[in-house]
Amino acid sequence: MTRLLVLNGPNLNLLGKREPGIYGQGTLKDAVDLVKETAEEHEAEADAYQSNHEGDLVDAIQQAEGKYDGIIFNPAAYTHTSIALRDAISAVDVPVVEVHISNVHQRESFRQHSMLAPVCKGQVVGLGLIGYRLAALALLESFEGRR
Ligand code: CA2
């Protein structure tokens, strides 16, 4: 069976509890549930993992090899800084779709560069939690050979 991993970086555990003006009212569980529902619609499965620690996220990416067919990844602030995460994504043969809830291009200039985008399959930016569903759909349909 096709398996997806929803990976979330630092502070995303606070979704829905702080800063609703930027990130909306939805929680991390809502984002994960969207991916699980999308996976089920395609007879696939999804697991989720969130960490505030860069090395834990590196470990999760390394361990995804052979276990998951694709990763939906919101690296949060590490997007803009992490060579370690970029190297981990490059090192595994698992497609990664980068997701950002907010439109990082409308925000501070330091959010407008992603260290990870060049090694990801694609990016979904600024569409709120639905971005997680769209990322899952893109992966699942690519596995089915559709588009
Ligand atoms: O828009 C996104 O999804 C981001 O990845 C979110 C990151 C930010 O550093 C990126 O530039 C864009 C921040 C996640 C922090 O999430 C919070 C949620 C609620 C309250 C406080 C932070």
Side-chain angles (χ1 to χ4, degrees), residues 4-24:
L4 299 177
L5 176 63
V6 194
L7 193 56
N8 282 284
N11 298 306
L12 286 164
N13 53 311
L14 300 177
L15 273 181
K17 294 166 191 153
R18 313 255 165 85
E19 307 220 52
I22 300 175
Y23 299 114

Side-chain angles (χ1 to χ4, degrees), residues 41-140:
E41 287 162 18
H42 290 253
E43 286 160 15
E45 283 179 352
D47 293 330
Y49 180 66
Q50 186 273 333
S51 177
N52 293 324
H53 305 281
E54 188 175 17
D56 288 346
L57 296 165
V58 170
D59 288 344
I61 292 165
Q62 288 185 13
Q63 289 160 14
E65 181 99 63
K67 187 168 179 200
Y68 294 102
D69 300 288
I71 302 175
I72 295 139
F73 189 19
N74 187 341
Y78 290 138
T79 305
H80 317 297
T81 62
S82 182
I83 298 169
L85 287 172
R86 180 179 172 135
D87 289 347
I89 293 168
S90 292
V92 297
D93 192 18
V94 183
V96 176
V97 178
E98 182 181 328
V99 173
H100 298 288
I101 298 163
S102 64
N103 185 344
V104 288
H105 302 292
Q106 292 174 344
R107 302 181 64 190
E108 302 95 325
S109 58
F110 63 82
R111 294 188 202 277
Q112 292 170 22
H113 180 257
S114 168
M115 296 293 293
L116 310 183
V119 295
C120 287
K121 180 178 173 66
Q123 252 186 341
V124 185
V125 173
L127 302 178
L129 294 192
I130 293 295
Y132 286 82
R133 175 170 164 79
L134 296 175
L137 211 50
L139 284 167
L140 291 162

